[in-house]
Structures are given as structure tokens and as C-alpha cells.
Amino acid sequence: MANTTGLNATEIAGSVGLILAVLVEVGALLGNGALLVVVLRTPGLLDALYLVHLCVVDLLAAASIMPLGLLAAPPPGLGRVRLGPEPCRAARFLSAALLPACTLGVAALGLARYRLIVHPLRPGAWPPPGLVLTAVWAIAGLLGALSLLGPPPAPPPAPARCSVLVGGLGPFRPLWALLAFALPALLLLGAYGSIFLVARRAAQRPPRPARGSRLRSDSLDSRLSFLPPLRSRLPGGKAALAPALAVGQFAACWLPYGCACLAPAAQAAEAEAAVTWVAYSAFAAHPFLYGLLQRPIRLTLGRLTRRALPRSPRACTLRAWQLRALLQRLQGPPEGPALGPSEAPDPARELAGGRSPSMPEAT
């Protein structure tokens, strides 16, 4: 009986994990696809190239390694597809290359926003985005090639371990954790930490008095106006919220995976499924964190949504009536002698009869 209860609990946990994994997969595909369309339709976006790169990397991961995690990996995957040695090595290469491309792309986006916020008047972007992204893919390709130097995976009767956590040579996993997690984490922390300090300094700076302002009187209201306003608990307000969310999301998604790379191979294999899907959840979180928090992207998304949705006839009627009222207001009052209260026409009666209140009836 106890064995049956334990089996049912394991099956329930596996089913819940599978449902969450499917939601992460669907959210990554839909969210990054929509963000890519909105970014390409948003004019004047200064960090558009980094956002497009992040969306492309997330879509590549959602179309390649995440379906393999659903079909071939143990729970929360289905575990129904047995990969041979060569497909398993290909899956390991994709995982070892796309994950650092994602983390280093996030760090590059953070550095670009740091330059735009802290040094907005510097002409041009240095280093150029093309050079930065070339360096990102060079590091990702190097880590992917190093993952192929380990022993070949076991034949299909044995459970195939095709991830970074159990592949490559002995020093490969610490090197991967250093370049794919520690380096972008330090860059991201430095960039968003500087943005947070700038936002906090700007929020704590007293407002400058306006030109030509009058001298304050010695009244009680004037004395009370010198008191500092009530501030939010988060210093810097809304400007500090985005850096805090970006650093928190990066640590929550990638810190377990980076720690598993430093653990012994046996312990990393036991925690492989859990930490891998926690890291994969970053692909679904990026469209909301780096897209919807930007005002130009929200405005473009709202405009595209209004164009896609059909308009109701009532809205069209209201817009036409507002245009008619605007034209009547621009024309001004009708010429002629002023009428008394008893002689003034009733607008409601004329509207009911189908005539405009500002247009006299033709004789």
C-alpha cells in the first residue's frame, strides 16, 4: 500500500512537472515571437539589435533543446525517445552553445542600457553591437566545441545524458560555469548596479526652484512645504525596479545551473532535470522582463493590437459624432439675432427629428 502511494505521488509530481515544462515551452515560443515582431515594428529603439539577438537565441533554444528535453529526458520530460550517440552529441553541442549565447546576450543588453542611461550624450556606441555579438557567439561556439571532446554517450539501452552537466572533459564544466554564468553575472551586476545608483541619486536630489519663483512667506503652509516628501521603500522608485527584476531573474534562473556545473557528476546527474528546466524558464521570462517593461514597446504593442482587433460599430458612431461636434465648434455660433430662452430651439427635439442644432432649416 505504501509502495502504491509513493508511486502515485511520483506520477503526480511527474505530471505536474510535465505541464509546467509545456507551459514554459509555449510561453517561450509565443512570447519571443511576439516580442520580435514588436521590436521590428518599433522605430527609434536604441537597443533593438540586442533585443532581436536575444529573441532569436530564445527561439532557437525553444525550437531545439527544449523539445528534446520534453521528449527524450526523464521527468519532467516524457523520456520516450532514445537518442543515439550522434544525436546526443548534437544535443549536447546545442545546449552548451545556446545557453551561454543567451546569458552573454543578456549581459550585453544590460551593458548597452547602462551606456544609454548613464552616458546618454556620448556619440555612437562603443564597442559596436556587431563586435559585441560576434564575441558572444565566439565564446558560445568555443564552449559548444569543447563539449564534444568528452567520451561518447552510452548506447540507447542506457539512459542518455545529453546536457552540459554530464558531458565534456573533466575541467569543461567549471570552465563552462565561469564563462557562461559567472562572467555574465558580474557584467550584469555591475551594469544594473550602476543604473540603480544613478536612479537612486536622481530620486534623492531635491527639485530645482523654477525661474521667477516668488519668495516663500513665513506661514505654516510654507514651512510645511520644506518637509521632504514621502518616498517609496525602494530607493529610486520605478527606475530602480527594472534593474532589481533583471538581476533577480538572472540569479533565480541560472544560479542553480551554475552551481550544478561545479558539483560532482553524480550529484549533477540527479539534479539535472530540475535545474535544467529552471534555466529554461528564463527563455519564457525574457519577453516580459526585457520587452513589456519598456514604454516604446508597450505603445507599439498596443497600436498593433488595436489594428488587429475589429472595431465595434458603436465606437465608429461615437468617433463620427465627436468629429461632427468638433466641426460645429470650429464653425462657431450661428449668425443671427440672439434668441430668448423661450425662442431658443430645443437641441434634443431637433436631433430626434434628424436635423443638426446648428444648421437652420432650409426654406
Side-chain angles (χ1 to χ4, degrees):
M1 186 68 179
N3 190 13
T4 306
T5 305
L7 183 61
N8 292 334
T10 304
E11 292 178 355
I12 292 175
S15 301
V16 172
L18 179 61
I19 293 174
L20 293 178
V22 171
L23 291 178
V24 169
E25 167 76 14
V26 174
L29 287 173
L30 296 181
N32 286 283
L35 179 60
L36 183 60
V37 173
V38 173
V39 169
L40 294 177
R41 299 293 296 273
T42 304
L45 199 60
L46 298 179
D47 54 355
L49 186 58
Y50 293 103
L51 280 174
V52 169
H53 170 263
L54 187 61
C55 291
V56 170
V57 172
D58 291 349
L59 286 174
L60 288 176
S64 59
I65 58 177
M66 291 179 70
L68 287 176
L70 284 175
L71 298 176
L78 295 176
R80 296 180 179 178
V81 178
R82 294 291 183 179
L83 296 179
E86 295 305 322
C88 191
R89 290 169 69 91
R92 185 186 297 173
F93 172 81
L94 290 175
S95 179
L98 289 177
L99 296 185
C102 176
T103 55
L104 292 171
V106 169
L109 178 61
L111 291 175
R113 291 185 174 180
Y114 161 77
R115 191 195 64 84
L116 292 174
I117 294 175
V118 180
H119 305 289
L121 299 180
R122 289 187 178 180
W126 181 258
L131 181 61
V132 174
L133 297 180
T134 302
V136 166
W137 280 103
I139 296 175
L142 175 63
L143 293 177
L146 290 178
S147 68
L148 301 178
L149 298 180
R161 300 291 183 175
C162 307
S163 68
V164 179
L165 299 178
V166 291
L169 296 175
F172 166 71
R173 294 191 298 124
L175 178 64
W176 192 95
L178 177 64
L179 294 179
F181 172 71
L183 177 62
L186 291 177
L187 294 176
L188 199 67
L189 188 61
Y192 282 112
S194 301
I195 295 175
F196 177 83
L197 292 178
V198 170
R200 181 181 181 182
R201 222 178 289 128
Q204 292 180 347
R205 185 181 304 167
R208 296 181 178 180
R211 293 184 178 180
S213 59
R214 297 180 302 174
L215 296 177
R216 294 180 178 269
S217 62
D218 200 18
S219 62
L220 180 61
D221 293 339
S222 179
R223 293 178 182 179
L224 290 178
S225 63
F226 280 99
L227 295 177
L230 295 177
R231 299 185 182 274
S232 58
R233 294 183 179 180
L234 183 63
K238 294 182 180 179
L241 181 62
L245 288 177
V247 175
Q249 181 267 333
F250 188 88
C253 293
W254 295 106
L255 182 59
Y257 202 89
C259 294
C261 287
L262 301 178
Q267 298 180 6
E270 294 178 358
E272 176 186 358
V275 299
T276 299
W277 280 100
V278 170
Y280 287 171
S281 65
F283 303 140
H286 289 161
F288 303 97
L289 188 61
Y290 296 100
L292 294 182
L293 290 184
Q294 291 198 64
R295 181 178 175 83
I297 292 180
R298 291 199 305 268
L299 294 178
T300 305
L301 180 61
R303 185 175 70 250
L304 295 178
T305 305
R306 288 192 298 270
R307 289 181 181 178
L309 294 178
R311 297 178 182 177
S312 60
R314 181 181 178 184
C316 298
T317 306
L318 289 176
R319 181 171 296 183
W321 172 249
Q322 291 174 0
L323 180 61
R324 183 185 302 174
L326 178 62
L327 291 176
Q328 291 178 2
R329 183 164 301 196
L330 292 176
Q331 289 175 0
E335 298 180 357
L339 299 178
S342 60
E343 300 176 354
D346 190 2
R349 187 182 309 164
E350 293 188 7
L351 286 177
R355 296 190 304 271
S356 172
S358 61
M359 302 294 295
E361 184 177 0
T363 55

